[in-house]
Amino acid sequence: TGAQQSATVANPVSGASPDLLPHFQLEPEDVYIVKNKAVSLACRATPATQIYFKCNGEWVHQGDHVTQHSTDRSTGLPIMEVRIEVTRQQVEKIFGLEEYWCQCVAWSSSGTTKSQKAFVRIAYLRKNFEQEPTAREVSIEQGIVLPCRPPEGIPPAEVEWLRNEELVDPELDTNVYVTPEHSLVLRQARLADTANYTCVAKNIVARRRSASAAIIVYVNGGWSTWTQWSGCSTSCGRGWQKRSRTCTNPTPLNGGAFCEGQNVQKTACTTLCPVDGAWSEWSKWSVCGAECTHWRSRECSEPAPRNGGRECHGPELDTRNCTSELCSHVVPGTEDVALYVGLVAVAVCLVLLLLVGVLVYCRKKGGLDADVADSSILTAGFQPVSIKPSKADNPSLLTIQPDLSTTTMTYQGSLCPRQDGPAKLQLPNGHLLSPLGAGRHTLHHSSPAAEGADFVARLSTQSYFRSLPRGTTNMAYGTFNFLGGRLMIPNTGISLLIPPDAIPRGKIYEVYLTLHKQEEVRLPLAGCQTLLSPIVSCGPPGVLLTRPAILAMGHCVEASAENWSIRLKKQSCEGTWEDVLTLGAEPCTELYYCQLEAQACYVFTEQLGRFALVGESLSMAASKRLKLVLFAPAACPSLEYNIRVYCLSDTQDVLKEVIQLEKQLGGQLIGTPRVLHFKDSYHNLRLSIHDMPSSLWKSKLLASYQEIPFYHIWSGLQPFLHCTFTLERLSTSTCELACKIWVWQVEGDGQSFTVNFNIAKDTRFSDWLVPDSEVGAPALVGPSAFKIPFLIRQKIISSLDPPGTRGADWRMLAQKLNLDSHLSFFASKPSPTAMILNLWEARHFPNGNLSQLAAAVAEVGKQDGALFAVSEAEC
């Protein structure tokens, strides 16, 4: 049919010019007769003297043609247009023999031309569907196929689906698609898919609806993990204890099956009875001593206290006066020796007082006039700057103007100036290590941090205090001015660096840094999103910063661009969380930037507030780091023994809270924590215990394993997920336990913990729980907060900010420090070198290697054509 429709046949007269053959400008097209309405067919040709329709091989009567003549303005050739009408009766007259068709034939003086065939069909749509969807009940996450075969019709009917009378659009819902056979497929049934589904068929004639099919998505109930065993019902001897679970993991919905099995378990228990201690008999009296006393003793050992029994009351030692030859004899000369010792002590004290007075007098008279030289960049690192109070009669001193509203703290000391050598680096703004000359230089330090109670009392008057945690356990605070400083929350890896000149001169701010518990702040997560870092607040929100502060905090993501989309979120004043930065993408604002490293992220921000790192997995290969930690009681007074296995996000702050919790519970650490990579595979985490000596221990766990649901772990909002393995020793003399605990993700790789320990010995928390980098004051203000001395820092900035020859400027320093991926961010700031040094301070305080930084600066200097002199300062 398609070939016939596209063919236009010309029959030229012999000897005629082909240019004068008629050609069609309009040819008849296929049409459908709807109900009893006649259809019109038209054709137009030029040049043409006559045009007639031929339908099913017979000429249409001349009187049925409607003809219109015109002239082509561009060629002057005549144009003829002809129309006819075809009725339903004409088509039905030959129904069943063949399809009804019509064709135009045009004449000119040169010959004839035939148009394509146009087929005329009667349109219809039958009422009954060949197959309709049927109602079903399916389990959640099960696939669903709803078949639909529309009624017969011409033209063929188009199909669409309705869910509760609303159109189903597969382009908006990736869980839904429609097959070429018009079946509706739901890949994984969701609770929201519970609805009435209707198949709708339509063409130009009518619109038909199938019977609605009710789809009910049900959820079978699942048991939660068992609660811990209750205490033994008796305090002495045999009793019973119980534990329970609920059918809430998940709760049955829409007619889903209830959990099978018991929701309460009871077991026998035995508690060792306490034995109170009792004294043994007194020993015999000792020999009378020189002090005219003798003694006797006894022990709390008949019996000794056991199983929590009371200790013996009363003295262990009894003394009384006695008389014998030993105490009646007096040693001659004792009084003289005591007198001589007293006189010597008095003389020594007088001499010391005299020396102190002379030193104080000389110091006040002579003053502090020692020369102070600038520090140098040495192979051993930067030396601290020596600073002294200045004299009014020396106008040539370099002095940083004091802030009169702050307390002045003076740093004293001296360094000998170095001898200039011929091979020093000459920078455009003067020698980096050139001495400042004789004189004294004063740095004005901000006032010390307020006491915790006073600080919290002042915060309580502010509106934002309502969203801060009460108490100062996870809070650091201090008072800062233009010299900057640092806040740290010990043992959490969380710190805030306020660089020099970030606070405008003349301004003083009380700044706080707070770690929030997940239950204190509601952070909404959608889809595959998960919390990757602690939730941290720094403020107050109104602090005006002229340079970005750097907030450092840990994270637990194995970052890769193909598996993760990671966003920095900030809570607005209205309480809503907003995406302020997408890592790996071009920043939409210069207010925020984030440097993501293997264990920590460093957030550059010019606006203080509440921050969190949130990730969205892009594939099932995305994984988070979990830290698996085992604890058990330090003492075991009964036959029962519990091992607790914690599954934590691998950040220091969560580990710190668990350690504090276990110390309150009297737990001891077992072995070294392990790291598990938990994948976004929707599979739960399972834990089991194996290889216990059956002759000494038995497990009270009835199932072969315990399970933690995937979503409880993946969200990151439940920090203290753990399972408890309850064991029972068969004898009170058993003090050694050896076993293995397996931890694995279903259909994933597993890890095992080999446990060997003595339950009778107290194991203290290891040193690794308190990293050396966290030891120190939570607030450091002024120069003490930075590794790089202030004046040395200013020299480096003034030397490397301007563009250098051969690229020997801040860009090369960033390359030497492996920070060249952030060049665009550094370049957007007034001082790129200051940004690089600030990030170095945030990453390396307090144990950073200044020698490596000095070497990097030296390498930049060598590119400028001169050698960099590195030598030790000597006094």
Side-chain angles (χ1 to χ4, degrees):
T1 301
Q4 291 174 347
Q5 288 180 341
S6 62
T8 300
V9 182
N11 296 318
V13 175
S14 176
S17 172
D19 293 339
L20 298 179
L21 284 174
H23 68 275
F24 285 95
Q25 297 177 339
L26 175 66
E27 297 185 72
E29 296 181 348
D30 295 348
V31 291
Y32 294 94
I33 295 178
V34 179
K35 297 182 179 179
N36 293 320
K37 295 180 181 179
V39 294
S40 177
L41 299 178
C43 62
R44 183 172 61 247
T46 183
T49 57
Q50 289 182 346
I51 299 178
Y52 289 102
F53 272 93
K54 180 185 284 188
C55 294
N56 280 66
E58 297 182 1
W59 294 102
V60 178
H61 191 274
Q62 183 177 4
D64 294 334
H65 291 72
V66 178
T67 306
Q68 182 178 355
H69 296 273
S70 61
T71 303
D72 190 338
R73 295 181 179 179
S74 60
T75 62
L77 296 176
I79 299 175
M80 180 178 287
E81 182 173 344
V82 177
R83 294 179 180 273
I84 65 170
E85 286 191 350
V86 180
T87 65
R88 185 185 184 99
Q89 291 77 10
Q90 291 175 274
V91 176
E92 288 179 341
K93 187 181 296 185
I94 63 166
F95 183 76
L97 301 177
E98 58 179 318
E99 288 189 297
Y100 190 93
W101 59 268
C102 293
Q103 184 180 33
C104 280
V105 181
W107 281 266
S108 72
S109 60
S110 299
T112 61
T113 303
K114 295 181 180 180
S115 71
Q116 66 181 8
K117 290 183 178 180
F119 290 87
V120 181
R121 301 178 177 91
I122 298 175
Y124 67 93
L125 183 63
R126 302 196 186 280
K127 292 184 177 181
N128 297 326
F129 281 74
E130 295 183 9
Q131 185 179 11
E132 294 185 291
T134 56
R136 294 181 60 187
E137 292 184 0
V138 296
S139 174
I140 192 168
E141 296 185 355
Q142 180 181 340
I144 305 176
V145 179
L146 293 175
C148 176
R149 295 175 60 190
E152 180 185 352
I154 293 178
E158 298 178 356
V159 173
E160 63 184 18
W161 284 88
L162 301 179
R163 178 197 286 136
N164 288 343
E165 301 303 320
E166 293 184 0
L167 182 65
V168 177
D169 189 351
E171 294 184 358
L172 300 178
D173 188 351
T174 57
N175 192 47
V176 177
Y177 71 94
V178 179
T179 67
E181 294 79 22
H182 309 302
S183 297
L184 179 67
V185 178
L186 304 179
R187 293 183 172 88
Q188 288 184 322
R190 304 160 298 190
L191 290 176
D193 294 326
T194 299
N196 292 321
Y197 291 83
T198 308
C199 181
V200 178
K202 61 181 180 180
N203 65 4
I204 61 176
V205 178
R207 187 172 186 267
R208 312 290 188 200
R209 290 167 56 97
S210 71
S212 295
I215 299 299
I216 298 177
V217 181
Y218 62 86
V219 179
N220 291 326
W223 289 115
S224 66
T225 56
W226 288 100
T227 61
Q228 294 186 359
W229 286 100
S230 64
C232 199
S233 60
T234 61
S235 59
C236 177
R238 294 190 63 82
W240 58 270
Q241 57 186 158
K242 67 177 182 178
R243 64 176 181 175
S244 62
R245 59 180 177 175
T246 57
C247 190
T248 56
N249 185 33
T251 303
L253 293 174
N254 297 337
F258 197 79
C259 304
E260 296 181 359
Q262 298 177 342
N263 65 336
V264 177
Q265 285 183 343
K266 289 186 178 182
T267 185
C269 58
T270 302
T271 305
L272 299 177
C273 297
V275 177
D276 295 338
W279 291 113
S280 64
E281 294 292 333
W282 286 103
S283 65
K284 294 182 179 181
W285 288 101
S286 66
V287 178
C288 192
E291 296 82 9
C292 298
T293 59
H294 60 172
W295 54 270
R296 62 177 180 174
S297 63
R298 58 180 177 175
E299 296 180 352
C300 188
S301 59
E302 293 186 4
R306 297 193 307 273
N307 306 328
R310 293 193 300 269
E311 295 283 345
C312 301
H313 292 285
E316 292 181 312
L317 192 66
D318 183 20
T319 61
R320 68 179 182 183
N321 295 330
C322 61
T323 302
S324 70
E325 294 181 357
L326 290 176
C327 68
S328 60
H329 181 67
V330 179
V331 180
T334 303
E335 297 83 353
D336 296 336
V337 172
L339 178 60
Y340 296 149
V341 170
L343 292 175
V344 171
V346 172
V348 170
C349 292
L350 291 175
V351 172
L352 290 176
L353 289 173
L354 181 61
L355 290 175
V356 170
V358 172
L359 288 175
V360 170
Y361 176 79
C362 293
R363 189 175 182 87
K364 289 183 178 180
K365 185 175 181 64
L368 301 175
D369 295 325
D371 291 339
V372 179
D374 191 5
S375 307
S376 300
I377 300 178
L378 309 176
T379 54
F382 296 130
Q383 303 299 323
V385 179
S386 300
I387 303 165
K388 297 182 179 181
S390 59
K391 286 186 177 180
D393 56 354
N394 193 344
S396 63
L397 299 182
L398 173 62
T399 304
I400 297 176
Q401 294 300 319
D403 188 342
L404 298 179
S405 61
T406 60
T407 303
T408 300
M409 299 183 66
T410 304
Y411 299 83
Q412 301 184 15
S414 64
L415 289 175
C416 292
R418 296 175 47 189
Q419 299 297 326
D420 291 338
K424 292 184 179 179
L425 170 64
Q426 300 296 325
L427 295 176
N429 199 23
H431 197 289
L432 180 64
L433 304 179
S434 58
L436 297 176
R440 292 158 298 187
H441 311 281
T442 302
L443 288 182
H444 293 270
H445 199 290
S446 62
S447 58
E451 292 295 330
D454 295 339
F455 186 82
V456 173
R458 287 194 298 275
L459 279 181
S460 62
T461 62
Q462 305 298 325
S463 59
Y464 54 81
F465 179 74
R466 294 191 299 270
S467 62
L468 294 179
R470 302 300 180 261
T472 58
T473 304
N474 286 325
M475 176 184 287
Y477 44 84
T479 304
F480 298 91
N481 64 1
F482 73 96
L483 291 173
R486 184 188 308 265
L487 291 175
M488 296 175 292
I489 303 178
N491 303 324
T492 62
I494 298 172
S495 65
L496 178 68
L497 177 74
I498 303 175
D501 291 325
I503 297 176
R505 293 179 181 250
K507 297 285 187 180
I508 301 176
Y509 293 119
E510 283 187 331
V511 181
Y512 63 83
L513 177 66
T514 299
L515 167 64
H516 294 272
K517 296 181 179 179
Q518 277 82 355
E519 59 268 22
E520 296 173 345
V521 179
R522 178 172 177 80
L523 175 62
L525 299 177
C528 300
Q529 290 183 342
T530 174
L531 182 63
L532 301 175
S533 73
I535 301 175
V536 180
S537 290
C538 54
V543 168
L544 175 64
L545 298 177
T546 59
R547 288 176 174 80
I550 302 179
L551 175 64
M553 55 186 178
H555 66 79
C556 60
V557 63
E558 293 295 317
S560 58
E562 63 274 11
N563 295 333
W564 284 100
S565 172
I566 303 176
R567 297 178 177 89
L568 177 67
K569 286 184 174 287
K570 182 176 184 288
Q571 192 174 31
S572 66
C573 298
E574 293 78 17
T576 59
W577 287 87
E578 302 171 348
D579 294 339
V580 296
L581 183 67
T582 300
L583 274 65
E586 287 295 327
C588 57
T589 175
E590 295 184 356
L591 295 177
Y592 308 99
Y593 190 77
C594 186
Q595 155 79 357
L596 188 69
E597 298 188 352
Q599 301 288 335
C601 64
Y602 300 91
V603 179
F604 291 78
T605 175
E606 295 183 17
Q607 292 182 354
L608 302 185
R610 185 167 299 158
F611 296 92
L613 206 63
V614 172
E616 183 173 1
S617 62
L618 303 179
S619 70
M620 289 190 178
S623 65
K624 293 174 60 176
R625 291 192 316 275
L626 298 183
K627 181 152 285 185
L628 304 175
V629 192
L630 276 66
F631 287 94
C636 183
S638 65
L639 295 176
E640 184 181 285
Y641 199 71
N642 294 324
I643 297 178
R644 292 181 291 275
V645 184
Y646 288 86
C647 302
L648 316 172
S649 298
D650 187 16
T651 56
Q652 291 185 34
D653 59 291
V654 180
L655 182 60
K656 173 187 175 182
E657 288 200 49
V658 171
I659 292 170
Q660 291 174 344
L661 175 63
E662 280 295 330
K663 284 184 177 179
Q664 295 174 0
L665 297 176
Q668 65 175 348
L669 179 70
I670 304 176
T672 304
R674 308 286 181 86
V675 173
L676 174 70
H677 296 279
F678 190 75
K679 294 184 178 180
D680 182 18
S681 62
Y682 301 101
H683 295 305
N684 298 340
L685 192 70
R686 290 182 177 175
L687 304 94
S688 60
I689 188 166
H690 306 276
D691 299 346
M692 283 190 307
S694 57
S695 60
L696 301 176
W697 293 86
K698 71 174 182 178
S699 174
K700 301 181 73 173
L701 182 69
L702 299 182
S704 59
Y705 60 85
Q706 298 190 64
E707 195 167 65
I708 302 178
F710 169 82
Y711 288 104
H712 291 183
I713 299 176
W714 187 256
S715 68
L717 298 177
Q718 301 185 39
F720 300 146
L721 294 172
H722 74 279
C723 287
T724 300
F725 292 95
T726 303
L727 312 178
E728 184 176 4
R729 51 179 176 168
L730 303 181
S731 172
T732 56
S733 61
T734 300
C735 292
E736 296 289 339
L737 172 61
C739 62
K740 284 187 178 180
I741 294 180
W742 277 94
V743 182
W744 75 99
Q745 193 173 5
V746 180
E747 298 184 11
D749 299 330
Q751 293 191 20
S752 67
F753 289 76
T754 301
V755 178
N756 285 284
F757 62 100
N758 189 325
I759 64 176
K761 295 181 180 178
D762 179 16
T763 303
R764 296 187 177 180
F765 291 92
S766 304
D767 293 337
W768 64 267
L769 298 177
V770 184
D772 293 338
S773 61
E774 297 293 343
V775 177
L780 296 173
V781 186
S784 61
F786 304 98
K787 293 283 290 183
I788 308 172
F790 183 82
L791 299 180
I792 294 285
R793 169 192 171 91
Q794 297 304 106
K795 286 278 189 177
I796 297 175
I797 292 173
S798 61
S799 301
L800 299 186
D801 271 351
T805 59
R806 304 181 185 177
D809 51 25
W810 62 269
R811 291 166 294 182
M812 184 175 293
L813 178 61
Q815 181 181 6
K816 297 294 181 183
L817 298 178
N818 298 320
L819 299 175
D820 44 340
S821 60
H822 311 290
L823 292 182
S824 59
F825 169 70
F826 296 146
S828 67
K829 299 302 176 184
S831 175
T833 310
M835 293 298 101
I836 296 173
L837 298 181
N838 293 344
L839 181 56
W840 188 93
E841 289 277 10
R843 296 169 67 191
H844 296 90
F845 188 87
N847 297 324
N849 190 336
L850 282 167
S851 298
Q852 294 179 356
L853 179 60
V857 176
E859 287 294 325
V860 176
K862 289 180 182 178
Q863 300 297 324
D864 209 16
L867 295 177
F868 191 86
V870 180
S871 61
E872 190 79 32
E874 299 178 356
C875 292

